Amino acid sequence: METNPNWFLRARLKTRQLLLLIALDEQRNIHRASEELHMTQPAASKQLKDLEEMLGVQLFDRLPRGMEPTIYGETMIRHARMALTSLSLAHEDIVAIKAGLSGQVDIGTIMTPGISLLPVAITRTKAQAPKLRIGVEMEQSNILLEQLQRGRLDFMIGRIPERQSAEGLSYEELGDEPACAVVRPGHPLLKARNLSLRDIASQPWILPPQGSILRARCELMFRRAGLEVPSNVVDTTAVLLIKPLLQQTDALNVMPIAVAKYYESQNVLNILPIELPCRMDAYGIITVDGHIMSPGASLLLKAVREVAKEMY
């Protein structure tokens, strides 16, 4: 199959065909998909057949009880979603600009830059474009990457997990994420001198769930020191639960230093005087190759880069 970046022009690709791909992915049935798009079933079948002939591949397997996308189909569905999301955002930007606003920017971030870097970047951006609407998702990197690849985010600040493909993504490193141990104000260990890992290994802990990167790094830290991993543990990353648990018990919690410093400044918790040999991988700005940034997204991205340069 020849490589032609403008194949869709020659093939006269229709927006209707993109909508049909998404409807088929969601319904897995040509009859229900055609009903959803207010088309006849023969018309929907023809549009799908025309698209498959244009591409020279089969996009869906026809099964007795419905349809399943092939690997080619999954690829086209993903790009169809991104294309339609982009068109939808273009319309929203135009409506917003006509109304005297500056459009919508949607970004994702993991916790550390979300608490330290991003508030400063957003404040600077808002000073230049007060009517720019900024949406922020704070989640784990794997969840944000899925949103980014579906075209729901303009860019994200996070990391690309080892088991996830980086194909089609651009990564620009910003900083790393060292961790620390935190406790409630007034905790007995805050008065201790020369704390060691042995002193804290047997304490009750609040840790990220099994399978998370920070949990694995934390347990590895104890094993490398020849110690048993903590056994009295509550598994959670929910800050709204962690704070009262810390305040009502003598438990310890491990969290990124930048996040801990923020909560310490609010007198919610204190950082234990021990340097943990435990850190997360570096994180950075992640974008989708070929994604055209809106003026508002470019403005915010520029502010993120400037603030990161100052901080890191």
Side-chain angles (χ1 to χ4, degrees):
M1 183 177 171
E2 64 176 299
T3 301
N4 181 349
N6 296 318
W7 67 270
F8 50 87
L9 295 177
R10 191 192 67 222
R12 296 182 181 177
L13 181 67
K14 302 177 182 70
T15 307
R16 200 84 164 151
Q17 287 169 313
L18 300 182
L19 290 166
L20 178 60
L21 282 178
I22 293 169
L24 282 170
D25 182 43
E26 292 172 352
Q27 300 293 343
R28 303 297 171 100
N29 180 286
I30 190 78
H31 178 68
R32 288 197 298 270
S34 58
E35 279 188 343
E36 183 180 311
L37 297 177
H38 306 290
M39 301 169 65
T40 64
Q41 185 172 328
S45 297
K46 184 178 186 308
Q47 289 210 357
L48 177 61
K49 185 170 178 290
D50 288 347
L51 184 55
E52 289 179 324
E53 287 178 355
M54 285 179 210
L55 295 166
V57 294
Q58 186 171 322
L59 299 175
F60 285 85
D61 286 324
R62 281 70 167 174
L63 306 172
R65 294 190 176 181
M67 303 175 75
E68 284 285 332
T70 63
I71 189 168
Y72 304 111
E74 287 175 354
T75 301
M76 270 304 294
I77 289 161
R78 180 164 60 86
H79 285 284
R81 287 186 188 279
M82 291 170 65
L84 290 170
T85 299
S86 184
L87 287 172
S88 176
L89 291 173
H91 179 259
E92 287 177 14
D93 281 352
I94 289 168
V95 170
I97 292 166
K98 282 172 71 178
L101 304 176
S102 300
Q104 172 82 28
V105 180
D106 291 293
I107 66 168
T109 182
I110 56 174
M111 190 180 288
T112 292
I115 280 180
S116 55
L117 183 156
L118 204 52
V120 182
I122 289 174
T123 302
R124 288 189 189 178
T125 303
K126 278 290 195 178
Q128 296 178 64
K131 293 184 178 180
L132 180 67
R133 299 195 306 271
I134 300 174
V136 181
E137 286 270 345
M138 189 178 288
E139 264 295 355
Q140 295 175 6
S141 290
N142 58 330
I143 295 170
L144 294 176
L145 272 172
E146 185 183 344
Q147 299 273 53
L148 182 71
Q149 290 173 320
R150 283 177 171 260
R152 292 174 182 168
L153 300 175
D154 290 290
F155 66 90
M156 63 172 274
I157 306 170
R159 54 179 67 86
I160 301 173
E162 291 176 5
R163 286 170 288 183
Q164 196 144 351
S165 170
E167 188 179 352
L169 299 173
S170 293
Y171 175 79
E172 181 182 331
E173 189 169 308
L174 294 179
D176 61 3
E177 204 171 19
C180 65
V182 298
V183 293
R184 63 172 173 81
H187 193 287
L189 287 178
L190 289 170
K191 296 177 182 177
R193 292 185 179 182
N194 303 318
L195 269 179
S196 67
L197 286 180
R198 186 174 296 279
D199 297 323
I200 63 175
S202 59
Q203 297 290 322
W205 281 83
I206 304 166
L207 294 174
Q210 291 283 357
S212 66
I213 297 173
L214 186 53
R215 177 63 171 268
R217 299 282 166 90
C218 186
E219 291 185 349
L220 182 62
M221 169 185 75
F222 286 111
R223 288 197 181 99
R224 281 179 172 168
L227 301 168
E228 291 288 324
V229 299
S231 57
N232 182 356
V233 175
V234 173
D235 295 349
T236 184
T237 54
V239 174
L240 289 175
L241 176 60
I242 291 170
K243 287 194 290 184
L245 277 175
L246 286 176
Q247 288 163 356
Q248 295 170 34
T249 69
D250 282 340
L252 285 66
N253 176 239
V254 63
M255 66 171 57
I257 286 178
V259 179
K261 284 181 176 176
Y262 169 78
Y263 285 118
E264 190 171 53
S265 72
Q266 305 295 310
N267 298 316
V268 172
L269 48 78
N270 288 125
I271 298 173
L272 271 185
I274 176 173
E275 187 173 332
L276 298 184
C278 174
R279 63 178 55 232
M280 300 282 281
D281 295 333
Y283 58 83
I285 298 165
I286 305 174
T287 54
V288 173
D289 292 341
H291 175 68
I292 300 169
M293 293 276 179
S294 67
S298 297
L299 187 66
L300 180 56
L301 182 55
K302 181 172 177 280
V304 167
R305 286 178 174 138
E306 287 173 354
V307 175
K309 193 173 180 182
E310 294 165 15
M311 285 187 169
Y312 309 132

Short mmCIF file of all heavy atoms in Angstrom, two decimals, residues 179-181 197 200 205-208 212-225 227-230 253-255 276-280:
data_model
loop_
_atom_site.label_atom_id
_atom_site.label_comp_id
_atom_site.label_asym_id
_atom_site.label_seq_id
_atom_site.Cartn_x
_atom_site.Cartn_y
_atom_site.Cartn_z
N ALA A 179 11.28 10.87 46.73
CA ALA A 179 10.21 10.64 47.71
C ALA A 179 10.71 10.88 49.13
O ALA A 179 11.92 10.92 49.38
CB ALA A 179 9.68 9.22 47.58
N CYS A 180 9.77 11.04 50.06
CA CYS A 180 10.12 11.23 51.47
C CYS A 180 9.04 10.57 52.33
O CYS A 180 7.98 10.19 51.84
CB CYS A 180 10.25 12.71 51.81
SG CYS A 180 8.69 13.63 51.67
N ALA A 181 9.33 10.45 53.63
CA ALA A 181 8.35 9.90 54.58
C ALA A 181 7.71 11.05 55.34
O ALA A 181 8.40 11.98 55.77
CB ALA A 181 9.04 8.94 55.54
N LEU A 197 16.55 3.56 58.16
CA LEU A 197 15.47 2.75 57.61
C LEU A 197 15.01 1.68 58.59
O LEU A 197 13.82 1.36 58.66
CB LEU A 197 15.92 2.08 56.30
CG LEU A 197 16.04 2.98 55.07
CD1 LEU A 197 16.49 2.16 53.86
CD2 LEU A 197 14.72 3.67 54.75
N ILE A 200 12.26 2.85 60.90
CA ILE A 200 10.92 3.10 60.36
C ILE A 200 10.29 1.88 59.68
O ILE A 200 9.11 1.88 59.37
CB ILE A 200 10.92 4.31 59.39
CG1 ILE A 200 11.80 4.03 58.18
CG2 ILE A 200 11.35 5.58 60.09
CD1 ILE A 200 11.76 5.12 57.11
N TRP A 205 2.36 1.83 58.17
CA TRP A 205 2.54 2.65 56.96
C TRP A 205 1.23 2.80 56.19
O TRP A 205 0.38 1.92 56.22
CB TRP A 205 3.58 2.01 56.03
CG TRP A 205 4.99 2.23 56.43
CD1 TRP A 205 5.73 1.53 57.34
CD2 TRP A 205 5.87 3.26 55.93
NE1 TRP A 205 6.99 2.03 57.43
CE2 TRP A 205 7.13 3.09 56.58
CE3 TRP A 205 5.73 4.28 54.98
CZ2 TRP A 205 8.22 3.92 56.32
CZ3 TRP A 205 6.83 5.10 54.72
CH2 TRP A 205 8.04 4.93 55.39
N ILE A 206 1.13 3.91 55.47
CA ILE A 206 0.10 4.10 54.43
C ILE A 206 0.87 4.19 53.12
O ILE A 206 1.67 5.11 52.94
CB ILE A 206 -0.72 5.38 54.67
CG1 ILE A 206 -1.35 5.37 56.07
CG2 ILE A 206 -1.80 5.53 53.59
CD1 ILE A 206 -1.88 6.73 56.51
N LEU A 207 0.66 3.23 52.24
CA LEU A 207 1.45 3.14 51.00
C LEU A 207 0.55 3.08 49.77
O LEU A 207 -0.61 2.67 49.86
CB LEU A 207 2.33 1.89 51.04
CG LEU A 207 3.45 1.85 52.10
CD1 LEU A 207 4.12 0.49 52.10
CD2 LEU A 207 4.48 2.95 51.84
N PRO A 208 1.11 3.46 48.60
CA PRO A 208 0.36 3.27 47.35
C PRO A 208 0.07 1.78 47.16
O PRO A 208 0.80 0.93 47.68
CB PRO A 208 1.32 3.78 46.28
CG PRO A 208 2.29 4.65 47.00
CD PRO A 208 2.42 4.07 48.37
N SER A 212 1.83 -0.43 41.97
CA SER A 212 2.20 0.94 41.60
C SER A 212 3.73 1.07 41.64
O SER A 212 4.42 0.33 42.35
CB SER A 212 1.57 1.95 42.55
OG SER A 212 2.10 1.81 43.85
N ILE A 213 4.26 2.03 40.87
CA ILE A 213 5.71 2.20 40.78
C ILE A 213 6.28 2.63 42.13
O ILE A 213 7.29 2.09 42.59
CB ILE A 213 6.07 3.25 39.69
CG1 ILE A 213 5.61 2.76 38.32
CG2 ILE A 213 7.57 3.50 39.66
CD1 ILE A 213 5.76 3.79 37.22
N LEU A 214 5.62 3.58 42.79
CA LEU A 214 6.15 4.08 44.07
C LEU A 214 6.16 2.98 45.13
O LEU A 214 7.11 2.89 45.93
CB LEU A 214 5.34 5.29 44.54
CG LEU A 214 5.86 6.01 45.79
CD1 LEU A 214 7.33 6.38 45.65
CD2 LEU A 214 5.01 7.24 46.09
N ARG A 215 5.14 2.12 45.15
CA ARG A 215 5.11 1.00 46.13
C ARG A 215 6.29 0.06 45.87
O ARG A 215 6.98 -0.36 46.81
CB ARG A 215 3.78 0.26 46.00
CG ARG A 215 3.65 -0.98 46.90
CD ARG A 215 3.68 -0.64 48.39
NE ARG A 215 3.33 -1.78 49.21
CZ ARG A 215 2.10 -2.06 49.65
NH1 ARG A 215 1.10 -1.24 49.33
NH2 ARG A 215 1.87 -3.10 50.39
N ALA A 216 6.52 -0.26 44.61
CA ALA A 216 7.62 -1.16 44.25
C ALA A 216 8.97 -0.57 44.64
O ALA A 216 9.83 -1.27 45.20
CB ALA A 216 7.59 -1.46 42.76
N ARG A 217 9.14 0.73 44.39
CA ARG A 217 10.41 1.39 44.73
C ARG A 217 10.60 1.45 46.25
O ARG A 217 11.72 1.32 46.74
CB ARG A 217 10.43 2.81 44.15
CG ARG A 217 10.33 2.87 42.63
CD ARG A 217 11.66 2.55 41.96
NE ARG A 217 11.49 2.28 40.54
CZ ARG A 217 11.55 3.22 39.59
NH1 ARG A 217 11.78 4.48 39.93
NH2 ARG A 217 11.40 2.90 38.33
N CYS A 218 9.51 1.67 46.97
CA CYS A 218 9.56 1.75 48.43
C CYS A 218 9.95 0.39 49.03
O CYS A 218 10.83 0.31 49.90
CB CYS A 218 8.22 2.22 48.96
SG CYS A 218 8.20 2.54 50.73
N GLU A 219 9.34 -0.68 48.56
CA GLU A 219 9.66 -2.01 49.08
C GLU A 219 11.09 -2.42 48.72
O GLU A 219 11.79 -3.03 49.52
CB GLU A 219 8.64 -3.02 48.55
CG GLU A 219 7.24 -2.82 49.13
CD GLU A 219 6.25 -3.88 48.70
OE1 GLU A 219 6.58 -4.67 47.78
OE2 GLU A 219 5.14 -3.93 49.28
N LEU A 220 11.52 -2.04 47.51
CA LEU A 220 12.88 -2.34 47.08
C LEU A 220 13.89 -1.63 47.99
O LEU A 220 14.95 -2.19 48.30
CB LEU A 220 13.07 -1.91 45.63
CG LEU A 220 14.43 -2.20 44.99
CD1 LEU A 220 14.70 -3.71 44.95
CD2 LEU A 220 14.50 -1.61 43.58
N MET A 221 13.56 -0.43 48.40
CA MET A 221 14.43 0.36 49.30
C MET A 221 14.71 -0.41 50.59
O MET A 221 15.85 -0.49 51.05
CB MET A 221 13.74 1.70 49.59
CG MET A 221 14.35 2.52 50.69
SD MET A 221 13.35 4.00 51.04
CE MET A 221 11.96 3.26 51.95
N PHE A 222 13.66 -1.00 51.18
CA PHE A 222 13.85 -1.76 52.42
C PHE A 222 14.63 -3.05 52.17
O PHE A 222 15.51 -3.42 52.95
CB PHE A 222 12.49 -2.08 53.05
CG PHE A 222 11.82 -0.89 53.70
CD1 PHE A 222 10.67 -0.34 53.16
CD2 PHE A 222 12.36 -0.32 54.85
CE1 PHE A 222 10.06 0.76 53.75
CE2 PHE A 222 11.75 0.78 55.45
CZ PHE A 222 10.61 1.31 54.91
N ARG A 223 14.30 -3.74 51.07
CA ARG A 223 14.98 -5.02 50.78
C ARG A 223 16.48 -4.80 50.56
O ARG A 223 17.30 -5.61 50.99
CB ARG A 223 14.35 -5.68 49.56
CG ARG A 223 12.95 -6.25 49.82
CD ARG A 223 12.54 -7.22 48.74
NE ARG A 223 11.21 -7.74 48.98
CZ ARG A 223 10.11 -7.28 48.38
NH1 ARG A 223 10.20 -6.28 47.51
NH2 ARG A 223 8.93 -7.81 48.65
N ARG A 224 16.82 -3.73 49.85
CA ARG A 224 18.24 -3.44 49.59
C ARG A 224 19.00 -3.16 50.89
O ARG A 224 20.21 -3.35 50.96
CB ARG A 224 18.36 -2.26 48.64
CG ARG A 224 18.13 -2.63 47.19
CD ARG A 224 18.24 -1.43 46.28
NE ARG A 224 18.21 -1.82 44.87
CZ ARG A 224 18.05 -0.97 43.86
NH1 ARG A 224 17.90 0.33 44.12
NH2 ARG A 224 18.04 -1.40 42.62
N ALA A 225 18.27 -2.69 51.90
CA ALA A 225 18.90 -2.42 53.21
C ALA A 225 18.89 -3.67 54.09
O ALA A 225 19.28 -3.62 55.25
CB ALA A 225 18.16 -1.28 53.90
N LEU A 227 16.22 -5.38 55.07
CA LEU A 227 15.11 -5.30 56.02
C LEU A 227 13.85 -5.91 55.44
O LEU A 227 13.69 -5.98 54.20
CB LEU A 227 14.84 -3.83 56.39
CG LEU A 227 16.00 -3.06 57.03
CD1 LEU A 227 15.68 -1.57 57.05
CD2 LEU A 227 16.28 -3.59 58.43
N GLU A 228 12.96 -6.35 56.32
CA GLU A 228 11.64 -6.81 55.88
C GLU A 228 10.82 -5.60 55.43
O GLU A 228 10.93 -4.51 56.02
CB GLU A 228 10.91 -7.51 57.04
CG GLU A 228 11.51 -8.83 57.45
CD GLU A 228 11.24 -9.93 56.42
OE1 GLU A 228 10.15 -9.93 55.81
OE2 GLU A 228 12.14 -10.77 56.22
N VAL A 229 10.00 -5.79 54.40
CA VAL A 229 9.14 -4.68 53.99
C VAL A 229 8.04 -4.49 55.04
O VAL A 229 7.69 -5.45 55.75
CB VAL A 229 8.50 -4.94 52.60
CG1 VAL A 229 9.58 -5.09 51.55
CG2 VAL A 229 7.60 -6.16 52.63
N PRO A 230 7.52 -3.28 55.22
CA PRO A 230 6.47 -3.06 56.22
C PRO A 230 5.30 -4.02 56.03
O PRO A 230 4.86 -4.27 54.90
CB PRO A 230 6.05 -1.60 55.96
CG PRO A 230 7.26 -0.96 55.36
CD PRO A 230 7.89 -2.03 54.53
N ASN A 253 3.68 7.78 55.87
CA ASN A 253 3.26 7.72 54.48
C ASN A 253 4.43 8.14 53.60
O ASN A 253 5.23 9.00 53.99
CB ASN A 253 2.06 8.66 54.25
CG ASN A 253 1.63 8.72 52.78
OD1 ASN A 253 1.63 9.78 52.18
ND2 ASN A 253 1.26 7.60 52.21
N VAL A 254 4.55 7.53 52.43
CA VAL A 254 5.59 7.93 51.49
C VAL A 254 4.93 8.72 50.36
O VAL A 254 3.89 8.32 49.84
CB VAL A 254 6.37 6.71 50.94
CG1 VAL A 254 5.48 5.77 50.15
CG2 VAL A 254 7.55 7.15 50.08
N MET A 255 5.53 9.87 50.03
CA MET A 255 4.98 10.68 48.94
C MET A 255 6.09 11.51 48.31
O MET A 255 7.16 11.71 48.93
CB MET A 255 3.83 11.58 49.41
CG MET A 255 4.19 12.66 50.39
SD MET A 255 2.81 13.83 50.71
CE MET A 255 1.50 12.77 51.29
N LEU A 276 15.30 9.35 52.13
CA LEU A 276 14.98 8.01 51.62
C LEU A 276 15.69 7.76 50.28
O LEU A 276 15.60 8.60 49.37
CB LEU A 276 13.47 7.86 51.40
CG LEU A 276 12.55 7.99 52.62
CD1 LEU A 276 11.11 7.71 52.21
CD2 LEU A 276 12.97 7.06 53.75
N PRO A 277 16.37 6.61 50.15
CA PRO A 277 16.95 6.26 48.84
C PRO A 277 15.86 5.70 47.92
O PRO A 277 15.88 4.54 47.51
CB PRO A 277 17.99 5.20 49.21
CG PRO A 277 17.44 4.55 50.45
CD PRO A 277 16.69 5.61 51.19
N CYS A 278 14.90 6.54 47.63
CA CYS A 278 13.71 6.10 46.88
C CYS A 278 13.23 7.26 46.01
O CYS A 278 12.98 8.36 46.52
CB CYS A 278 12.62 5.69 47.87
SG CYS A 278 11.04 5.28 47.12
N ARG A 279 13.13 7.03 44.72
CA ARG A 279 12.65 8.09 43.83
C ARG A 279 11.92 7.50 42.64
O ARG A 279 12.19 6.37 42.23
CB ARG A 279 13.76 9.02 43.38
CG ARG A 279 14.86 8.39 42.55
CD ARG A 279 15.89 9.44 42.11
NE ARG A 279 16.45 10.19 43.21
CZ ARG A 279 16.49 11.52 43.25
NH1 ARG A 279 15.99 12.23 42.26
NH2 ARG A 279 17.03 12.14 44.27
N MET A 280 11.01 8.29 42.10
CA MET A 280 10.28 7.89 40.89
C MET A 280 11.11 8.26 39.66
O MET A 280 12.07 9.03 39.75
CB MET A 280 8.94 8.62 40.84
CG MET A 280 8.03 8.33 42.00
SD MET A 280 7.24 6.74 41.83
CE MET A 280 5.94 7.15 40.67
#
